[in-house]
Structures are given as structure tokens and as C-alpha cells.
């Protein structure tokens, strides 16, 4: 089972490369500089976020800015991922 701790360990050497950052149109790449093991990309456009890469492909639909959908809030800074709710937003 994937846990937050395991995921953070797996991507500890990853670097983020911003390929596009134009409002809610974004393309981010996360990968080690030495190889493509466990690499992934996040692409957003109005109402959608796609996660594609070495660990699966998922597209979510919910709010205009989907990065905001996944971010902790001021009221819940330590909010745990709600995988059941996220699953409902997967298209």
C-alpha cells in the first residue's frame, strides 16, 4: 500500500521542471536527473488535472483550478488525502 511516507521516499531525489505555467494551464515534470524511475508529469487546464507517468495515469475533474483542489487549506494545513473522494472525481 502506498503511504505518504513511501511516496515521499520514492520521490526524494526528484526535481520539478516547469514546462508551462500560464494561469490554470500548467505542465510540470517531476523526475530524477539520473534516470526516469518513478517519473511523473502533472498537466492542468480549466477544470482538469492529469497525472501521468511511471506510476499510473489519472485524470480528475472538479474545480477550475485543480491544483487548489488537492492543496491543504489554511483551515486544514495537515489534511490527509481523501482517496475515496478523489476517486469520485476521477474521469
Amino acid at each position: 500500500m502506498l503511504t505518504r511516507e513511501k511516496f515521499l521516499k520514492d520521490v526524494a531525489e526528484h526535481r520539478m521542471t516547469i514546462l508551462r505555467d500560464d494561469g490554470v494551464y500548467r505542465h510540470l515534470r517531476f523526475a530524477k536527473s539520473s534516470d526516469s524511475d518513478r517519473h511523473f508529469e502533472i498537466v492542468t487546464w480549466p477544470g482538469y488535472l492529469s497525472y501521468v507517468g511511471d506510476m499510473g495515469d489519472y485524470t480528475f475533474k472538479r474545480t477550475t483550478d485543480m491544483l487548489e483542489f488537492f492543496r491543504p487549506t489554511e483551515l486544514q494545513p495537515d489534511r490527509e488525502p481523501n482517496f475515496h473522494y478523489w476517486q469520485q472525481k476521477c474521469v
Side-chain angles (χ1 to χ4, degrees):
M1 180 172 145
L2 182 63
T3 63
R4 176 184 289 191
E5 292 76 21
K6 171 114 174 72
F7 176 78
L8 292 176
K9 181 181 176 206
D10 289 346
V11 300
E13 296 180 35
H14 281 49
R15 299 292 174 255
M16 180 176 74
T17 303
I18 300 171
L19 301 170
R20 182 174 186 180
D21 185 9
D22 184 16
V24 295
Y25 296 91
R26 302 178 190 93
H27 187 171
L28 312 172
R29 179 176 295 144
F30 299 83
K32 294 179 188 178
S33 58
S34 59
D35 61 47
S36 63
D37 183 39
R38 295 187 177 105
H39 76 282
F40 61 95
E41 297 184 22
I42 294 175
V43 179
T44 67
W45 64 100
Y48 293 88
L49 179 145
S50 283
Y51 170 101
V52 297
D54 207 24
M55 298 177 278
D57 303 329
Y58 308 92
T59 298
F60 300 89
K61 179 181 180 184
R62 174 70 171 90
T63 61
T64 301
D65 186 352
M66 286 299 293
L67 281 186
E68 293 297 324
F69 176 74
F70 289 102
R71 286 185 179 137
T73 65
E74 283 186 30
L75 297 175
Q76 297 176 309
D78 297 320
R79 173 175 75 174
E80 290 293 321
N82 186 337
F83 297 116
H84 179 72
Y85 185 62
W86 291 1
Q87 180 183 12
Q88 296 172 16
K89 305 308 172 202
C90 203
V91 293

